[in-house]
């Protein structure tokens, strides 16, 4: 699969909704948290796949604002797993020149998770390869409200005039900062929805839903398959097919 990928037409930004951990675990007759644990290997493979190809931005939906409503035991299990995994993975991320980031309402995370996360972000901040962003206690609506508050503040203080609020200015306040909009969004687990993820950044993303695969089963070959499929699509951005530059083979 990897050989079929055109390296000059890679998605600049890939976003993933890593869904189906609980159902995968249930299928094995295990507790839901078992599925979350097994999802770590899939994360590692996805990161490695992006590093191998030279993808610049990967954003993973790790825990949504709405996920706080899950049973307390599951939420605690996920938070513990997060701390342990970041601690274990960061040396490899660093070796692979990966820059770690996080978006979301990070103040709502347990203190120990925040600390591990911040230490890892600091350690990798000068890396120049893949930017790996974890969406944690994140939702797209939350982010848009945060941007609105920041813009309102600037207008109030006189730093920004209302007529100067453009799409570019708005986007510059997003949590994803300098990352380009998402080109390819992958969701495992069979549901065809975006579940409050990156609402602004997904505006023109190609959506790739995997119906028969739970997140713990996701491997590099699936990432390469998704990228290959992305490259077969015609991205018209509102234009007609005839207006697009002809593809050189
Ligand atoms: C995704 O898997 C992981 C998180 C939301 C944290 P789920 O836990 O949602 O698994 P399903 O969708 O219930 O199978
Ligand atoms: C989306 O999965 C959030 C993450 C993968 C972290 P959910 O399992 O929470 O999504 P819904 O509730 O089924 O839409
Ligand atoms: Mg789910």
């Amino acid at each position: 699969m990897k050989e079929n990928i055109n390296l000059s037409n890679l998605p600049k930004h890939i976003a993933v909704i890593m869904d189906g951990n609980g159902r995968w675990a249930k299928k094995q007759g295990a507790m839901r948290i078992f599925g979350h644990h097994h999802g770590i290997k899939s994360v590692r493979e996805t990161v490695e796949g992006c590093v191998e190809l030279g993808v610049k931005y990967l954003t993973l939906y790790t825990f949504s604002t709405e996920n706080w409503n899950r049973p307390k035991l599951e939420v605690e299990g996920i938070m513990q797993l997060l701390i342990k995994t970041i601690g274990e993975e960061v040396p490899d991320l660093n070796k692979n020149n990966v820059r770690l980031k996080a978006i979301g309402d990070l103040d709502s995370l347990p203190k120990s998770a925040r600390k591990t996360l911040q230490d890892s972000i600091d350690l990798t901040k000068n890396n120049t390869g893949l930017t790996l962003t974890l969406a944690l206690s994140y939702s797209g609506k939350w982010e848009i409200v945060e941007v609105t508050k920041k813009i309102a503040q600037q207008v109030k203080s006189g730093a920004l005039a209302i007529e100067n609020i453009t799409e570019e200015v708005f986007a510059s306040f997003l949590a994803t900062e300098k990352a380009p909009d998402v080109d390819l969004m992958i969701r495992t687990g069979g549901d065809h929805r975006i579940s409050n993820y990156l609402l602004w950044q997904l505006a023109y993303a190609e959506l790739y839903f995997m119906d028969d695969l739970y997140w713990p089963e996701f491997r590099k070959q699936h990432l390469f398959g998704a990228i290959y499929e992305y490259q077969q699509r015609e991205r018209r951005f509102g234009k007609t097919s005839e207006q697009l530059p002809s593809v050189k083979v």
Side-chain angles (χ1 to χ4, degrees):
M1 230 343 153
K2 192 179 164 191
E3 310 75 63
N4 298 329
I5 293 175
N6 174 359
L7 295 177
S8 62
N9 182 27
L10 287 175
K12 287 188 199 67
H13 187 173
I14 299 178
V16 186
I17 301 182
M18 312 183 286
D19 196 24
N21 294 351
R23 280 166 287 164
W24 180 84
K26 198 171 166 190
K27 211 173 68 178
Q28 333 282 315
M31 306 260 288
R32 293 179 56 84
I33 194 71
F34 183 72
H36 299 313
H37 275 269
H38 275 262
I40 305 300
K41 182 166 168 58
S42 312
V43 171
R44 211 178 289 133
E45 292 242 343
T46 309
V47 171
E48 282 173 11
C50 286
V51 169
E52 275 175 36
L53 293 176
V55 171
K56 293 306 284 180
Y57 293 90
L58 172 67
T59 304
L60 301 176
Y61 210 178
T62 308
F63 194 81
S64 74
T65 307
E66 289 77 17
N67 288 150
W68 288 114
N69 298 319
R70 291 191 176 195
K72 193 165 171 266
L73 208 63
E74 180 170 346
V75 171
E76 283 174 3
I78 292 174
M79 290 303 150
Q80 277 169 17
L81 182 62
L82 180 73
I83 299 166
K84 180 171 165 284
T85 307
I86 293 175
E88 283 172 2
E89 298 296 322
V90 81
D92 270 349
L93 293 180
N94 208 18
K95 224 185 295 160
N96 280 326
N97 197 20
V98 175
R99 180 168 62 140
L100 184 69
K101 289 197 154 221
I103 55 172
D105 182 15
L106 305 180
D107 289 342
S108 65
L109 297 176
K111 215 169 153 196
S112 47
R114 235 159 45 216
K115 163 122 181 55
T116 313
L117 194 60
Q118 197 52 56
D119 289 348
S120 309
I121 290 170
D122 291 344
L123 184 76
T124 62
K125 71 171 190 288
N126 294 323
N127 289 344
T128 54
L130 173 72
T131 298
L132 168 64
T133 303
L134 304 181
L136 282 166
S137 191
Y138 171 90
S139 76
K141 287 189 177 180
W142 168 85
E143 181 180 34
I144 288 172
V145 169
E146 288 302 302
V147 171
T148 308
K149 284 185 199 162
K150 285 180 193 150
I151 290 179
Q153 206 91 55
Q154 295 237 338
V155 170
K156 195 176 164 195
S157 73
L160 182 64
I162 289 180
E163 53 278 20
N164 290 337
I165 303 174
T166 58
E167 287 188 14
E168 288 71 30
V169 168
F170 192 95
S172 72
F173 286 96
L174 290 166
T176 42
E177 293 178 330
K178 293 185 175 58
D181 276 357
V182 175
D183 293 309
L184 170 62
M185 196 286 283
I186 302 171
R187 180 174 189 145
T188 56
D191 287 304
H192 295 198
R193 55 177 174 255
I194 55 176
S195 302
N196 212 351
Y197 196 31
L198 300 170
L199 295 178
W200 177 283
Q201 298 88 336
L202 287 175
Y204 247 114
E206 295 300 326
L207 307 179
Y208 184 81
F209 295 107
M210 304 187 75
D211 290 335
D212 305 313
L213 200 89
Y214 294 131
W215 178 250
E217 301 164 323
F218 191 88
R219 292 291 172 268
K220 231 177 257 184
Q221 78 202 57
H222 299 111
L223 173 76
F224 295 154
I227 295 174
Y228 179 75
E229 154 76 23
Y230 160 87
Q231 295 186 332
Q232 310 314 305
R233 298 194 190 171
E234 184 175 71
R235 304 190 77 198
R236 291 187 292 278
F237 295 101
K239 295 182 178 175
T240 69
S241 206
E242 293 70 26
Q243 286 177 292
L244 303 176
S246 58
V247 186
K248 292 182 215 82
V249 187

